Amino acid sequence: MNTKGMAKKALTATAVAVSAVALSTAPAFAGSNGHAYTDFESCSVLGTGCVMIETGEGWFTADGDKWKACDLYADGMRVVVEARWTSGGATHIYPAIADQGKGTCDTYSKDIPEGTKVSLKIWRQKGADGTPKDVTSFSGTA
């Protein structure tokens, strides 16, 4: 009896079985992150030029389905990042709101079905009922 040949055949059969299982497993969906600023152009009255002022920053993180709003500018306005997606026949809309002044952030998290496209907008506004200003759109995938 050739035990070396039998051991080699058993090892080969095991490797083939492991490879078949690995290849048949559905790959996990990798979502995509998003990032944007809300900003405005400020021009000098002395004619020395214009600069872009970034007043808020927003992120969408696919791992954990989180979105974040950060206030970057001491202008008395809040920064809002609104996430919107459709699943189960309904449209879902949730905001993250940084309203405690420059340097503050707010994060919101909600379970979103894998592979769902999330449309996001970031803006700044005065108070809870203010008009959105300097709106920027971005997106991610859960």
Side-chain angles (χ1 to χ4, degrees):
M1 183 192 268
N2 182 354
T3 56
K4 281 187 178 181
M6 287 175 47
K8 187 175 181 180
K9 285 181 185 177
L11 184 59
T12 301
T14 302
V16 169
V18 168
S19 295
V21 169
L23 293 173
S24 68
T25 304
F29 183 83
S32 63
N33 300 328
H35 178 248
Y37 291 95
T38 180
D39 50 27
F40 68 93
E41 189 173 51
S42 176
C43 297
S44 169
V45 284
L46 301 175
T48 57
C50 299
V51 295
M52 291 303 292
I53 297 177
E54 295 169 341
T55 59
E57 188 170 15
W59 293 269
F60 174 77
T61 306
D63 184 16
D65 303 330
K66 297 179 232 173
W67 49 103
K68 183 177 184 177
C70 289
D71 190 344
L72 305 176
Y73 193 65
D75 59 357
M77 300 180 97
R78 60 178 46 190
V79 173
V80 179
V81 171
E82 178 187 84
R84 178 185 300 246
W85 69 92
T86 302
S87 70
T91 299
H92 306 272
I93 304 169
Y94 296 95
I97 303 167
D99 61 358
Q100 300 299 311
K102 179 182 177 182
T104 63
C105 297
D106 180 46
T107 302
Y108 197 94
S109 179
K110 194 82 172 158
D111 189 28
I112 304 171
E114 293 296 311
T116 300
K117 182 177 180 187
V118 180
S119 299
L120 299 109
K121 290 183 181 177
I122 181 172
W123 67 82
R124 63 191 185 109
Q125 71 183 51
K126 188 79 169 168
D129 298 323
T131 302
K133 295 178 182 262
D134 310 315
V135 180
T136 302
S137 296
F138 64 111
S139 65
T141 306

